[in-house]
């Protein structure tokens, strides 16, 4: 288990696998007025891993993931995706990076006035990628098949259950074949059975496409099942970093509170 105060140890972990760091966060600060949400946050994410960020409600987990995708601008620090600093990017360059980074919103963010087909078409038409209508149709069918909901293609979001809406939102995330997928509380509001199904689907997708996953969660079943490594976010910092098993054995009270 590595602590945020041991910065050199965290850097050594990433350096053990040179060239495989796809997301690197340096000295990240983010405040809202006097509320310091992220404080000197550091993190390296390795290609192909599933990393869970664990923290209390209001601890800054969602702020972190929105900074990563460029929806929020940090006060200080830098975020590199695929070796490029997003703070130095033009709007066009950032849009191209976003085509390689999928984001599953906690609320799903489906358009109620659009069919499932139209929801999945939206990112294809918004991004710079040039594809024919036949290619669009094929990509939609593949994404829906990946989440087991091909039969819903002409349905409206209101006709779907909560678990089905989550799957459709994931299908929309998959449509551009992202190399990194950011999940914001993917099991929130779902019953235990549906939560387990979504977690398994996330793992199946990672295995099929070799994606890198960053998962924001306080669902300990999700943390236990889906993580290769876990970051414990405390006081805006990467307070502890390790596997679920390592962290669950910690005697540090700030870590133990999550695994009790």
């Amino acid at each position: 288990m590595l602590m945020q105060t041991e910065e050199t140890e965290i850097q050594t972990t990433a350096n053990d696998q040179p060239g495989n760091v796809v997301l690197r966060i340096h000295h990240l600060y983010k405040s809202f007025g006097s509320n310091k949400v992220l404080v000197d946050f550091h993190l390296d994410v390795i290609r192909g891993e599933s990393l869970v960020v664990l923290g209390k409600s209001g601890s800054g987990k969602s702020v972190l993931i929105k900074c990563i995708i460029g929806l929020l601008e940090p006060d200080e620090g830098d975020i590199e995706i695929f070796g490029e600093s997003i703070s130095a990017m033009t709007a066009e360059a950032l849009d191209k990076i976003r085509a390689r980074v999928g984001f599953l919103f906690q609320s799903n963010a489906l358009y109620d006035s659009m069919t499932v087909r139209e929801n999945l078409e939206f990112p294809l038409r918004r991004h710079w990628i040039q594809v024919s209508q036949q290619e669009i149709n094929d990509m939609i069918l593949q994404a829906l098949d990946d989440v087991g909901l091909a039969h819903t293609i002409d349905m409206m979001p209101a006709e779907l259950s909560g678990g089905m809406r989550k799957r459709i939102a994931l299908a929309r995330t998959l449509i551009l074949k992202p190399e990194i997928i950011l999940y914001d509380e993917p099991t929130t509001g779902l019953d235990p059975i549906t939560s387990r199904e979504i977690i398994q689907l996330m793992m199946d997708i990672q295995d099929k496409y070799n994606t890198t996953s960053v998962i924001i969660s306080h669902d300990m079943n999700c943390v236990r099942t889906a993580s290769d490594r876990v970051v414990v976010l405390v006081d805006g910092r990467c307070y502890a970093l390790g596997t679920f098993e390592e962290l669950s054995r910690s005697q540090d009270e700030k870590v133990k509170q999550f695994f009790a």
Side-chain angles (χ1 to χ4, degrees), residues 92-108:
E92 181 180 3
L94 184 57
D95 194 45
K96 289 185 177 183
I97 282 290
R98 284 173 174 158
R100 301 170 65 188
V101 181
F103 189 5
L104 184 66
F105 291 88
Q106 181 177 337
S107 63
N108 302 325

Side-chain angles (χ1 to χ4, degrees), residues 151-162:
H151 65 284
T152 68
I153 190 167
D154 293 316
M155 297 174 68
M156 302 296 290
E159 300 177 81
L160 307 175
S161 68

Side-chain angles (χ1 to χ4, degrees), residues 8-187:
T8 55
E9 291 187 48
I10 291 177
Q11 292 173 342
T12 301
T13 301
N15 292 336
D16 287 342
Q17 303 182 58
N20 284 338
V21 177
V22 293
L23 171 62
R24 175 164 282 163
I25 302 172
H26 304 272
H27 303 292
L28 195 69
Y29 289 81
K30 182 63 181 177
S31 298
F32 297 94
S34 61
N35 181 22
K36 297 179 179 180
V37 180
L38 298 173
V39 181
D40 200 22
F41 189 93
H42 295 264
L43 184 64
D44 285 352
V45 182
I46 307 302
R47 184 180 302 277
E49 80 169 323
S50 179
L51 185 140
V52 175
V53 180
L54 175 63
K56 293 180 179 179
S57 296
S59 63
K61 303 186 301 298
S62 292
V63 171
L64 172 64
I65 208 168
K66 288 175 182 177
C67 287
I68 291 172
I69 200 61
L71 295 177
L72 288 175
E73 184 177 350
D75 299 330
E76 296 180 44
D78 191 34
I79 297 171
E80 294 179 9
I81 301 179
F82 310 119
E84 299 183 59
S85 171
I86 65 171
S87 63
M89 289 181 185
T90 64
E92 181 180 3
L94 184 57
D95 194 45
K96 289 185 177 183
I97 282 290
R98 284 173 174 158
R100 301 170 65 188
V101 181
F103 189 5
L104 184 66
F105 291 88
Q106 181 177 337
S107 63
N108 302 325
L110 296 176
Y111 296 101
D112 293 337
S113 61
M114 295 182 181
T115 65
V116 167
R117 183 196 301 272
E118 290 167 338
N119 266 282
L120 268 64
E121 281 182 346
F122 185 81
L124 295 173
R125 299 193 185 283
R126 179 181 180 277
H127 283 288
W128 55 273
I129 297 172
Q130 298 296 316
V131 287
S132 68
Q133 186 59 52
Q134 184 57 54
E135 289 173 316
I136 288 174
N137 294 341
D138 292 343
M139 293 167 78
I140 289 171
L141 289 172
Q142 178 63 63
L144 288 174
D145 187 60
D146 283 338
V147 301
L149 289 178
H151 65 284
T152 68
I153 190 167
D154 293 316
M155 297 174 68
M156 302 296 290
E159 300 177 81
L160 307 175
S161 68
M164 293 170 75
R165 287 194 293 272
K166 184 68 70 176
R167 286 174 178 264
I168 294 301
L170 183 52
R172 187 178 61 184
T173 301
L174 289 173
I175 199 79
L176 294 175
K177 296 293 188 290
E179 297 166 61
I180 300 173
I181 300 180
L182 309 176
Y183 296 92
D184 190 3
E185 300 284 6
T187 60

